Amino acid sequence: MALREKSAWISFWTTLIVYGAYFAYVGQAAAAGRPVGFAGPLTTCIFVLVVLQVGLQIVMAALNREPRGPQDERERLIDLTASTHAFYVLQVAAMGAAVTVYFFDKTLMANAVILALAVSELARHGGVILGYRRAC
């Protein structure tokens, strides 16, 4: 497995787990009718995500035996294709988040925007993974 593919797997799973836990918390609080604080839980989520991704990337780089060189043409194409598809996902999700302003409060709209960003990042990392899987 290529180093950049391993990196995409790390980013995909950490994003899915951390934002999944965040939105599970937000969903439970909203279902229970409790006010959802925005700054504290989101700050914690971002902090945990950064620590996990940086730590796991460092461990992966330390255990890697092959040197990391510049991207070749195939890797650039995989990254570009994944980013293009993720941008389309972001556009659709952002439009969905914009609609929430008419029906819900500002906090829910802000969480919908964060969800749109998280889903588009998952789409990008998933696209990179699929690009490497198809090329192998």
Short mmCIF file of all heavy atoms in Angstrom, two decimals, residues 1-12 57 60-61 64 66-80 82 124-133 136:
data_model
loop_
_atom_site.label_atom_id
_atom_site.label_comp_id
_atom_site.label_asym_id
_atom_site.label_seq_id
_atom_site.Cartn_x
_atom_site.Cartn_y
_atom_site.Cartn_z
N MET A 1 0.85 -1.17 0.00
CA MET A 1 0.00 0.00 0.00
C MET A 1 0.90 1.24 0.00
O MET A 1 1.86 1.31 0.75
CB MET A 1 -0.89 -0.02 1.25
CG MET A 1 -1.94 1.06 1.24
SD MET A 1 -3.03 1.09 2.70
CE MET A 1 -3.59 -0.54 2.87
N ALA A 2 0.58 2.19 -0.83
CA ALA A 2 1.37 3.41 -0.95
C ALA A 2 1.23 4.28 0.30
O ALA A 2 0.21 4.23 1.00
CB ALA A 2 0.95 4.20 -2.18
N LEU A 3 2.25 5.05 0.56
CA LEU A 3 2.25 5.91 1.75
C LEU A 3 1.09 6.91 1.71
O LEU A 3 0.43 7.15 2.72
CB LEU A 3 3.59 6.65 1.84
CG LEU A 3 3.76 7.57 3.04
CD1 LEU A 3 3.73 6.76 4.32
CD2 LEU A 3 5.06 8.34 2.94
N ARG A 4 0.82 7.47 0.55
CA ARG A 4 -0.27 8.44 0.46
C ARG A 4 -1.64 7.77 0.63
O ARG A 4 -2.57 8.37 1.12
CB ARG A 4 -0.18 9.19 -0.86
CG ARG A 4 0.96 10.20 -0.85
CD ARG A 4 1.01 11.02 -2.12
NE ARG A 4 2.04 12.02 -2.04
CZ ARG A 4 3.32 11.80 -2.33
NH1 ARG A 4 3.72 10.62 -2.72
NH2 ARG A 4 4.21 12.77 -2.23
N GLU A 5 -1.75 6.53 0.23
CA GLU A 5 -2.99 5.79 0.46
C GLU A 5 -3.17 5.52 1.95
O GLU A 5 -4.27 5.66 2.49
CB GLU A 5 -3.00 4.47 -0.31
CG GLU A 5 -4.30 3.71 -0.15
CD GLU A 5 -4.29 2.37 -0.86
OE1 GLU A 5 -3.29 2.03 -1.50
OE2 GLU A 5 -5.30 1.66 -0.74
N LYS A 6 -2.10 5.15 2.64
CA LYS A 6 -2.17 4.95 4.09
C LYS A 6 -2.58 6.25 4.78
O LYS A 6 -3.38 6.24 5.71
CB LYS A 6 -0.82 4.49 4.63
CG LYS A 6 -0.43 3.10 4.23
CD LYS A 6 0.95 2.78 4.76
CE LYS A 6 1.47 1.47 4.21
NZ LYS A 6 2.85 1.21 4.64
N SER A 7 -2.03 7.34 4.31
CA SER A 7 -2.38 8.65 4.86
C SER A 7 -3.86 8.96 4.66
O SER A 7 -4.53 9.49 5.55
CB SER A 7 -1.51 9.73 4.22
OG SER A 7 -1.86 10.99 4.68
N ALA A 8 -4.37 8.62 3.49
CA ALA A 8 -5.80 8.85 3.21
C ALA A 8 -6.67 7.97 4.11
O ALA A 8 -7.72 8.41 4.58
CB ALA A 8 -6.10 8.58 1.74
N TRP A 9 -6.25 6.73 4.35
CA TRP A 9 -7.00 5.85 5.25
C TRP A 9 -7.04 6.43 6.67
O TRP A 9 -8.09 6.42 7.32
CB TRP A 9 -6.39 4.45 5.28
CG TRP A 9 -6.84 3.56 4.17
CD1 TRP A 9 -6.09 3.15 3.10
CD2 TRP A 9 -8.13 2.96 4.00
NE1 TRP A 9 -6.84 2.34 2.29
CE2 TRP A 9 -8.09 2.20 2.82
CE3 TRP A 9 -9.31 3.00 4.74
CZ2 TRP A 9 -9.19 1.48 2.37
CZ3 TRP A 9 -10.41 2.29 4.27
CH2 TRP A 9 -10.35 1.54 3.11
N ILE A 10 -5.91 6.92 7.14
CA ILE A 10 -5.86 7.52 8.47
C ILE A 10 -6.79 8.72 8.55
O ILE A 10 -7.58 8.86 9.48
CB ILE A 10 -4.41 7.91 8.84
CG1 ILE A 10 -3.58 6.66 9.10
CG2 ILE A 10 -4.38 8.84 10.04
CD1 ILE A 10 -2.09 6.93 9.26
N SER A 11 -6.71 9.59 7.56
CA SER A 11 -7.56 10.78 7.56
C SER A 11 -9.04 10.41 7.45
O SER A 11 -9.88 11.03 8.12
CB SER A 11 -7.17 11.70 6.40
OG SER A 11 -5.86 12.16 6.57
N PHE A 12 -9.36 9.42 6.63
CA PHE A 12 -10.75 9.00 6.47
C PHE A 12 -11.32 8.49 7.78
O PHE A 12 -12.39 8.93 8.22
CB PHE A 12 -10.85 7.93 5.37
CG PHE A 12 -12.26 7.45 5.13
CD1 PHE A 12 -13.09 8.14 4.29
CD2 PHE A 12 -12.75 6.31 5.76
CE1 PHE A 12 -14.40 7.72 4.06
CE2 PHE A 12 -14.04 5.88 5.55
CZ PHE A 12 -14.87 6.57 4.70
N GLN A 57 -0.13 10.11 11.73
CA GLN A 57 0.71 10.36 10.55
C GLN A 57 2.20 10.26 10.92
O GLN A 57 3.01 9.75 10.13
CB GLN A 57 0.41 11.74 9.95
CG GLN A 57 -0.99 11.89 9.41
CD GLN A 57 -1.24 11.15 8.11
OE1 GLN A 57 -0.34 10.62 7.48
NE2 GLN A 57 -2.49 11.13 7.71
N MET A 60 2.98 6.56 11.33
CA MET A 60 3.03 5.92 10.02
C MET A 60 4.33 6.28 9.28
O MET A 60 4.97 5.43 8.67
CB MET A 60 1.83 6.33 9.16
CG MET A 60 1.83 5.65 7.81
SD MET A 60 0.75 6.40 6.62
CE MET A 60 1.31 8.07 6.57
N ALA A 61 4.71 7.55 9.34
CA ALA A 61 5.94 7.98 8.66
C ALA A 61 7.18 7.34 9.30
O ALA A 61 8.13 6.98 8.60
CB ALA A 61 6.06 9.49 8.68
N ASN A 64 7.39 3.72 8.14
CA ASN A 64 7.50 3.53 6.70
C ASN A 64 8.96 3.32 6.31
O ASN A 64 9.84 4.04 6.75
CB ASN A 64 6.92 4.75 5.98
CG ASN A 64 6.81 4.52 4.50
OD1 ASN A 64 6.60 3.40 4.06
ND2 ASN A 64 6.97 5.57 3.74
N GLU A 66 9.98 3.13 2.94
CA GLU A 66 10.30 3.76 1.66
C GLU A 66 10.28 5.29 1.80
O GLU A 66 9.47 5.84 2.54
CB GLU A 66 9.32 3.33 0.58
CG GLU A 66 7.87 3.69 0.88
CD GLU A 66 6.90 3.05 -0.07
OE1 GLU A 66 6.92 1.82 -0.19
OE2 GLU A 66 6.12 3.79 -0.69
N PRO A 67 11.17 5.98 1.13
CA PRO A 67 11.19 7.45 1.23
C PRO A 67 9.97 8.05 0.52
O PRO A 67 9.45 7.49 -0.45
CB PRO A 67 12.48 7.85 0.52
CG PRO A 67 12.75 6.72 -0.41
CD PRO A 67 12.22 5.49 0.24
N ARG A 68 9.53 9.16 1.05
CA ARG A 68 8.38 9.85 0.45
C ARG A 68 8.91 10.88 -0.54
O ARG A 68 9.52 11.87 -0.18
CB ARG A 68 7.55 10.53 1.52
CG ARG A 68 6.32 11.19 0.96
CD ARG A 68 5.46 11.73 2.05
NE ARG A 68 4.28 12.34 1.48
CZ ARG A 68 3.20 12.63 2.16
NH1 ARG A 68 3.16 12.37 3.45
NH2 ARG A 68 2.18 13.18 1.58
N GLY A 69 8.66 10.64 -1.80
CA GLY A 69 9.12 11.54 -2.85
C GLY A 69 7.99 12.44 -3.32
O GLY A 69 6.88 12.42 -2.77
N PRO A 70 8.26 13.22 -4.30
CA PRO A 70 7.20 14.08 -4.85
C PRO A 70 6.13 13.23 -5.54
O PRO A 70 6.40 12.11 -5.97
CB PRO A 70 7.93 14.98 -5.85
CG PRO A 70 9.18 14.23 -6.19
CD PRO A 70 9.53 13.40 -4.99
N GLN A 71 4.94 13.80 -5.66
CA GLN A 71 3.85 13.08 -6.31
C GLN A 71 4.18 12.88 -7.79
O GLN A 71 4.67 13.78 -8.45
CB GLN A 71 2.56 13.88 -6.22
CG GLN A 71 1.90 13.85 -4.88
CD GLN A 71 0.56 14.57 -4.90
OE1 GLN A 71 0.39 15.54 -5.63
NE2 GLN A 71 -0.36 14.10 -4.10
N ASP A 72 3.87 11.68 -8.27
CA ASP A 72 4.03 11.46 -9.70
C ASP A 72 2.72 11.85 -10.40
O ASP A 72 1.77 12.30 -9.77
CB ASP A 72 4.44 10.02 -10.01
CG ASP A 72 3.43 9.00 -9.55
OD1 ASP A 72 2.34 9.37 -9.09
OD2 ASP A 72 3.72 7.79 -9.65
N GLU A 73 2.68 11.65 -11.69
CA GLU A 73 1.51 12.08 -12.48
C GLU A 73 0.25 11.34 -12.07
O GLU A 73 -0.83 11.93 -11.96
CB GLU A 73 1.80 11.84 -13.97
CG GLU A 73 0.73 12.35 -14.89
CD GLU A 73 1.10 12.18 -16.35
OE1 GLU A 73 2.27 12.41 -16.69
OE2 GLU A 73 0.20 11.82 -17.12
N ARG A 74 0.36 10.07 -11.80
CA ARG A 74 -0.81 9.26 -11.40
C ARG A 74 -1.36 9.74 -10.05
O ARG A 74 -2.57 9.88 -9.88
CB ARG A 74 -0.42 7.79 -11.31
CG ARG A 74 -1.55 6.87 -10.89
CD ARG A 74 -1.05 5.45 -10.77
NE ARG A 74 -0.05 5.31 -9.74
CZ ARG A 74 -0.31 4.88 -8.49
NH1 ARG A 74 -1.52 4.56 -8.16
NH2 ARG A 74 0.66 4.78 -7.62
N GLU A 75 -0.47 10.01 -9.11
CA GLU A 75 -0.90 10.47 -7.79
C GLU A 75 -1.56 11.85 -7.86
O GLU A 75 -2.54 12.12 -7.18
CB GLU A 75 0.28 10.49 -6.83
CG GLU A 75 0.77 9.10 -6.48
CD GLU A 75 2.05 9.11 -5.68
OE1 GLU A 75 2.87 10.05 -5.84
OE2 GLU A 75 2.24 8.18 -4.90
N ARG A 76 -1.01 12.71 -8.70
CA ARG A 76 -1.63 14.03 -8.87
C ARG A 76 -3.02 13.90 -9.49
O ARG A 76 -3.95 14.62 -9.11
CB ARG A 76 -0.74 14.93 -9.74
CG ARG A 76 0.44 15.51 -8.98
CD ARG A 76 1.11 16.63 -9.74
NE ARG A 76 1.58 16.23 -11.06
CZ ARG A 76 2.81 15.79 -11.33
NH1 ARG A 76 3.69 15.69 -10.36
NH2 ARG A 76 3.15 15.46 -12.55
N LEU A 77 -3.17 13.01 -10.45
CA LEU A 77 -4.47 12.78 -11.08
C LEU A 77 -5.48 12.22 -10.07
O LEU A 77 -6.63 12.65 -10.04
CB LEU A 77 -4.34 11.85 -12.28
CG LEU A 77 -5.63 11.54 -13.03
CD1 LEU A 77 -6.20 12.82 -13.63
CD2 LEU A 77 -5.39 10.51 -14.11
N ILE A 78 -5.05 11.28 -9.24
CA ILE A 78 -5.93 10.72 -8.21
C ILE A 78 -6.37 11.82 -7.25
O ILE A 78 -7.56 11.94 -6.92
CB ILE A 78 -5.22 9.58 -7.45
CG1 ILE A 78 -5.08 8.36 -8.35
CG2 ILE A 78 -5.94 9.23 -6.16
CD1 ILE A 78 -4.19 7.26 -7.77
N ASP A 79 -5.44 12.64 -6.81
CA ASP A 79 -5.76 13.72 -5.87
C ASP A 79 -6.69 14.75 -6.51
O ASP A 79 -7.65 15.22 -5.87
CB ASP A 79 -4.47 14.38 -5.39
CG ASP A 79 -4.68 15.27 -4.19
OD1 ASP A 79 -5.46 14.88 -3.30
OD2 ASP A 79 -4.08 16.36 -4.15
N LEU A 80 -6.43 15.10 -7.75
CA LEU A 80 -7.27 16.08 -8.44
C LEU A 80 -8.68 15.56 -8.66
O LEU A 80 -9.66 16.28 -8.44
CB LEU A 80 -6.62 16.46 -9.78
CG LEU A 80 -7.37 17.49 -10.62
CD1 LEU A 80 -7.43 18.82 -9.89
CD2 LEU A 80 -6.69 17.65 -11.96
N ALA A 82 -10.26 13.21 -6.92
CA ALA A 82 -10.93 13.12 -5.62
C ALA A 82 -11.36 14.49 -5.12
O ALA A 82 -12.47 14.65 -4.60
CB ALA A 82 -10.01 12.45 -4.60
N ARG A 124 -13.51 13.26 -0.23
CA ARG A 124 -12.18 13.46 -0.82
C ARG A 124 -11.23 12.33 -0.45
O ARG A 124 -10.56 11.75 -1.30
CB ARG A 124 -11.59 14.79 -0.38
CG ARG A 124 -10.28 15.13 -1.10
CD ARG A 124 -9.82 16.54 -0.82
NE ARG A 124 -9.31 16.71 0.52
CZ ARG A 124 -8.07 16.37 0.89
NH1 ARG A 124 -7.24 15.84 0.03
NH2 ARG A 124 -7.67 16.56 2.13
N HIS A 125 -11.18 12.00 0.84
CA HIS A 125 -10.29 10.92 1.26
C HIS A 125 -10.75 9.58 0.69
O HIS A 125 -9.92 8.76 0.30
CB HIS A 125 -10.20 10.85 2.79
CG HIS A 125 -9.59 12.06 3.39
ND1 HIS A 125 -8.35 12.54 3.03
CD2 HIS A 125 -10.05 12.92 4.34
CE1 HIS A 125 -8.08 13.63 3.73
NE2 HIS A 125 -9.10 13.88 4.53
N GLY A 126 -12.05 9.37 0.63
CA GLY A 126 -12.57 8.15 0.01
C GLY A 126 -12.23 8.09 -1.47
O GLY A 126 -11.92 7.01 -2.00
N GLY A 127 -12.28 9.22 -2.14
CA GLY A 127 -11.90 9.27 -3.55
C GLY A 127 -10.44 8.95 -3.77
O GLY A 127 -10.08 8.27 -4.74
N VAL A 128 -9.58 9.42 -2.88
CA VAL A 128 -8.16 9.09 -2.98
C VAL A 128 -7.96 7.60 -2.78
O VAL A 128 -7.21 6.94 -3.53
CB VAL A 128 -7.33 9.91 -1.95
CG1 VAL A 128 -5.91 9.39 -1.86
CG2 VAL A 128 -7.34 11.39 -2.31
N ILE A 129 -8.64 7.04 -1.79
CA ILE A 129 -8.52 5.60 -1.52
C ILE A 129 -9.00 4.80 -2.73
O ILE A 129 -8.33 3.86 -3.17
CB ILE A 129 -9.30 5.23 -0.25
CG1 ILE A 129 -8.62 5.85 0.98
CG2 ILE A 129 -9.42 3.71 -0.11
CD1 ILE A 129 -9.47 5.83 2.23
N LEU A 130 -10.15 5.17 -3.28
CA LEU A 130 -10.66 4.48 -4.46
C LEU A 130 -9.71 4.62 -5.66
O LEU A 130 -9.55 3.69 -6.44
CB LEU A 130 -12.04 4.98 -4.83
CG LEU A 130 -13.18 4.52 -3.93
CD1 LEU A 130 -14.49 5.18 -4.34
CD2 LEU A 130 -13.31 3.02 -3.97
N GLY A 131 -9.13 5.80 -5.80
CA GLY A 131 -8.19 6.01 -6.89
C GLY A 131 -6.99 5.10 -6.81
O GLY A 131 -6.54 4.52 -7.82
N TYR A 132 -6.47 4.92 -5.61
CA TYR A 132 -5.34 4.00 -5.44
C TYR A 132 -5.78 2.54 -5.60
O TYR A 132 -5.04 1.74 -6.15
CB TYR A 132 -4.67 4.18 -4.06
CG TYR A 132 -3.73 5.35 -4.05
CD1 TYR A 132 -4.06 6.54 -3.43
CD2 TYR A 132 -2.48 5.25 -4.65
CE1 TYR A 132 -3.18 7.60 -3.40
CE2 TYR A 132 -1.59 6.31 -4.64
CZ TYR A 132 -1.95 7.49 -4.01
OH TYR A 132 -1.08 8.54 -4.00
N ARG A 133 -6.96 2.21 -5.12
CA ARG A 133 -7.46 0.84 -5.24
C ARG A 133 -7.69 0.46 -6.69
O ARG A 133 -7.43 -0.65 -7.09
CB ARG A 133 -8.76 0.66 -4.45
CG ARG A 133 -8.62 0.74 -2.96
CD ARG A 133 -8.06 -0.54 -2.42
NE ARG A 133 -6.76 -0.30 -1.84
CZ ARG A 133 -5.95 -1.24 -1.44
NH1 ARG A 133 -6.27 -2.50 -1.57
NH2 ARG A 133 -4.79 -0.96 -0.91
N CYS A 136 -4.33 -0.09 -8.65
CA CYS A 136 -3.52 -1.26 -8.31
C CYS A 136 -3.95 -2.49 -9.07
O CYS A 136 -5.03 -2.71 -9.42
CB CYS A 136 -3.56 -1.54 -6.82
SG CYS A 136 -2.78 -0.25 -5.85
#
